[in-house]
Structures are given as structure tokens and as C-alpha cells.
Amino acid sequence: MPEGPNGRTFYQRVVQATPGGKSLAQCLQCGSCGGSCPSGPDMDHSPRQLFAMIMAGMEDEVLSSNTPWHCVSCYYCTVRCPQQIPITDLMYTLKQMAIARGKYRESGHVDFSNSFIGMVERFGRSFELGLATRYHLTHNPLKMVSKGTLGLQMMVKGRLSPLPESIRNMPQLTAILTEAKRIAAQQEV
Amino acid sequence: MTAPNGQYAYYPGCSLKASASAYERSAMAVLERLELRFVEIDDWNCCGATEYFSLNRLPAYSLVARNLALAAAQPTHELVAPCSACYLNLRKTDDHMRQEPKLKEQVNRALAAGGLHYEPGTLRVRHLLDVIIDDVGYEAIAAKVTRPLAGLRVAPYYGCLVVRPFESDDPEYPTHMDRLLEVLGATVVDFPMKAHCCGGHMTQISEDTAFELIRRILHNAAAYQADVIVTVCPMCQLNLDAYQGNVNRRFGTAFNLPVLYFTQMMGLAFGLQPEALGIGSELVPAQAALNKIGQVPAETPRHTPKRRDKDALPMPSRQRR
Ligand code: SF4
Ligand code: SF4
């Protein structure tokens, strides 16, 4: 099996980065996960196939699959899996690994997550209008036209704030996140 | 069974301060009637929604853990969130820190940089729906009903995260909100899609994926002749309400289903005024449906013929009622 920098296989790295991930070894390849998945039609590989590929050490193929990016985090697969494998959390792990290795192809998803977290790191709160404009301006300016009408309706109904709200203790939050990132950077995913 | 000192730490989450302010308004009005004391966590921050866990898990856990640490400073062990995504993130962080000593140690090292600490297991993280049902109970709720929602057909929409993966009821066909709505006097329709996904953040990223998921839910509620969809989550409300027009345009459908929060239904049944519950801020107006229960005075009831989707499957319920 192809090994990573610390002599750990791809499978081991996936499992160790996921709480409860060890149970992946018990996967029966029963397919309940894929059968439960509302995003199945959009996915390159069903969750079951993806897990077989992880076992086979197909790191590149797994990390460039669009499957984790189409996961809507509904947890249907997780509660249906007869082996109690934390499938949804495994999808989160694979997304992080794909970003860390620059393998992802779904840039729209990553841009959106980055815009969202950019707001949070700056204000401590998410801010829907800022998010919508920032993400759509950088990613898909044409979408702003249709989103714009919806945004206007929301504003009229008092549901969209034109101004970001910030928490008081931003220095504290920044210190926490900076330290967390420093610790994360020391470990290999 | 309420919190020992009757107090709950309250984590509103970003949506309740903006797009879902109607949820907070109605929740506060109802909590007052139920005599539950919620104290907002001072200076809480965003939970990161589903975005941070996709990027970098340690900062993601630490972001959430700051809220847990601040909440744990309050004189209560009960932490309540009305948003299903916030609830899951808070509960998952507590749970994973408990499961994984290494994660606990690393998150606490990050928190220490801000002078904070959180001992997993200190708080019991709960969703607002579960608190109201488990701690107040159906009987006590029934005792507060002054204007039963008689004749209103409601589709109870749970979505994902309030019932999965931490199971507060059956994860696929929950019924605890059904019972709550029955206690309020409403007619609860059978609703097979009640715990399916609203599409989450996909409305922002991939409309093809999101609109189809929303369409299925609306279609199901319409097929069972619901007047209103009742929800427990700001994200679900936003997706089903604000994007209903887009879904109609894309699929040539004519859904006209108002989407209200369960706390708004409770408030109405408790005799509170619709405005005091934030009713009117939904994009698909609830007025016609509320006329049915005489809640909105003096307005010509709009003629809303029950639509039948041309692609609807024959539903046994059509004969049932
Ligand atoms: S449901 Fe569980 S055991 Fe079955 S294929 Fe999926 S991950 Fe494996
Ligand atoms: S959690 Fe993700 S992978 Fe699992 S069923 Fe839902 S969308 Fe599919």
C-alpha cells in the first residue's frame, strides 16, 4: 500500500483523522449508505465505492472524487450503516485532505466555505449579505442577478442585515483560532 | 424535569439574529408563557455551520468550543440551541472531545490561548424542540392552549440534524413534533419526507442539487394537502421558503406553502398575536392559511384551490381524508 510521509497508509491517515473512524475496517460493502444518499445521482462514486477505494489505497482517485463535496451532511447513511461507521464525518475528513493536497475539483464548494469562514474569522459571526456578495462576486457574478432579487425581498422583510455584527472579544477568538491552526499545521492529515 | 435551577444557557446562532429573527421572537414569547428562563451566552460566536469542518477540523472544533467554554461559566448544565446546525456542532464538539483525549487536549491548548478551558461532558447540549417537549411536556403545553389550531393541516418538517446522528426520536420517522402540533389542535398530515434533507448550503453552491431536494419536500407536503409546513431550523425555513419561487420557476410547479417555525404555531395556539411572533416575515405569506383558523382578521380569504402536480404520484392519502 502506498505510504504517506510518516509511514502511515492513506487508510490509516483517514481513519486517524476521524472520530470513531476505526470502525471503517468493519465496512461490509453492503451499500446501505449509497442507497440512502440524496446526493447519489451527483456523485462520482457512492460512499461504499469510495470506502473500497480507500481500503485499496487509491489516494489520488479518492481525493479527486467529487463525492465528499456533494455530501449535504444529512447523516442518513450514518444512522443506517449496520457497522456504525461515521460516514458523514469521514466525508469531512476527505474534504480536508483534498484541500490539503490540492486535489479537489469542486472549487465552488471550497470558495464558498472560504468566504464563509473569512467572515467568521473577521467578525466572529456570519453575515449573510456579506457572504452572498463576497462569494458570488468572486465565484459567479452572474448569479448575483437572481440572488440579488431574493436578497432584496429578504431585506424588505427585515431578514437581511446590511451591516455585519461583530463579537466584542475578537482578540480572544483570533488568539484561539491562530493557536488551533498552529497545532493543526504541525500534524499531517 | 426542567434544568435544576430552571435556567438554560441559550445559544441563538447567527441566523436567529438576522434571517430567522422571527424564530427568536416567537421562541422568546413562547418561553415566557412556559416560564422557562433562557440566558443568552455572553459574546458567543458563530458555530462555523457546515463550512469550517470541511476546511480544517481543529480550528473548527475550537471555534465551537469557545461557545461551550463561555456557556459552562453560567450556573446551569443545560445548553440550548434553536438552530439544528448549531445544535449539532455544539453537541458533536462536546461528544468528540469526550471520545478523543487527544482532541480534547488540543482544543484546550487552543482555548488556553484565549484564557478559556472546556471540560467535555460539563454541558448537556440540546435542541429547543427537545427542551420544550421533554422538560415542559405535552400536558403542560396543552394547558396553555387558548386558541386551538383547529382545521389547520400541518406538515411537520424535522429535517436532518435534530434527529440525526444524535437520536432524540426515531431518526427516520420522528413523531414528537407531530404530537406537539396535535396538542395545539392542528391536524398533522402524514409526511413521509419529514426527515429528509432541505439541501443545506447547496442553495448557495449547486442549485441543481438543492432545488431538487427542496422540490421533493414541497411536493410531498402538497400531495398530503398541508396548509403549512412547520420547521425547527432556520436553514430549513430559508431553503423551503425563500427558494420556493425559484423551485416553482425551475420545475413549472405552483407550490404555495408557507413555512413557519414550531414556536410560531405554539404562540398562535397560546393566543398570541401573529405580529408578536414574527409572522409576516416569511416570503410565502402565511396569511391565507391562518385565515383558516381565524387568526388574521378581516381579509378576504384567498381562493387557494388544492393543486395537483401533473407529475404527482397517486397518493393513498387522497382517499383517506
Ligand atoms: S452502510 Fe456502512 S457497512 Fe454498508 S457499505 Fe456503507 S459504510 Fe460500509
Ligand atoms: S450524510 Fe452525505 S454521504 Fe451520507 S447520505 Fe447524507 S449526503 Fe449522502
Side-chain angles (χ1 to χ4, degrees), chain B residues 105-148:
Chain B
E105 183 267 319
Q106 289 178 332
V107 169
N108 271 317
R109 247 201 291 156
L111 286 180
L116 296 175
H117 181 86
Y118 179 69
E119 196 53 39
T122 306
L123 294 164
R124 187 156 75 123
V125 181
R126 305 169 69 195
H127 190 280
L128 179 64
L129 178 69
D130 297 328
V131 166
I132 288 182
I133 289 177
D134 296 339
D135 293 5
V136 180
Y138 299 114
E139 266 176 49
I141 294 167
K144 305 273 181 198
V145 173
T146 57
R147 300 185 70 174

Side-chain angles (χ1 to χ4, degrees), chain A residues 33-100:
Chain A
C33 45
S36 318
C37 183
S39 296
D42 297 324
M43 290 175 168
D44 291 339
H45 308 95
S46 71
R48 177 192 67 77
Q49 285 172 321
L50 209 63
F51 297 154
M53 290 156 69
I54 294 173
M55 307 277 195
M58 297 162 70
E59 177 163 358
D60 279 356
E61 292 86 341
V62 170
L63 295 187
S64 50
S65 171
N66 75 0
T67 296
W69 302 99
H70 280 278
C71 169
V72 289
S73 201
C74 74
Y75 288 87
Y76 250 111
C77 53
T78 301
V79 296
R80 283 187 177 173
C81 171
Q83 301 297 75
Q84 272 132 30
I85 296 168
I87 303 170
T88 317
D89 288 330
L90 285 163
M91 294 296 170
Y92 281 114
T93 298
L94 294 173
K95 284 188 256 194
Q96 280 179 67
M97 291 174 100
I99 293 173

Side-chain angles (χ1 to χ4, degrees), chain A residues 80 113 121 124 159 168, chain B residues 42-43 46 51-52 172 237:
Chain A
R80 283 187 177 173
S113 296
E121 289 179 345
R159 291 178 62 177
R168 288 195 315 278
Chain B
D42 185 44
D43 208 34
C46 174
E51 308 315 318
Y52 221 165
E172 302 202 13
Q237 202 283 340

Side-chain angles (χ1 to χ4, degrees), chain B residues 193-215:
Chain B
M193 298 288 285
K194 58 164 69 167
H196 281 237
C197 180
C198 73
H201 70 181
M202 285 295 177
T203 42
Q204 306 300 312
I205 300 171
S206 167
E207 291 186 346
D208 290 340
T209 306
F211 289 177
E212 170 58 16
L213 296 179
I214 296 170
R215 186 200 65 82

Side-chain angles (χ1 to χ4, degrees), chain B residues 158-223:
Chain B
Y158 297 78
C160 303
L161 307 178
V162 70
V163 287
R164 292 186 302 272
F166 298 102
E167 304 176 13
S168 61
D169 193 350
D170 187 293
E172 302 202 13
Y173 206 80
T175 51
H176 59 322
M177 179 167 56
D178 297 35
R179 250 201 89 198
L180 172 68
L181 294 166
E182 276 163 12
V183 161
L184 303 179
T187 303
V188 177
V189 305
D190 197 8
F191 187 28
M193 298 288 285
K194 58 164 69 167
H196 281 237
C197 180
C198 73
H201 70 181
M202 285 295 177
T203 42
Q204 306 300 312
I205 300 171
S206 167
E207 291 186 346
D208 290 340
T209 306
F211 289 177
E212 170 58 16
L213 296 179
I214 296 170
R215 186 200 65 82
R216 288 184 210 169
I217 293 162
L218 295 172
H219 176 82
N220 197 225

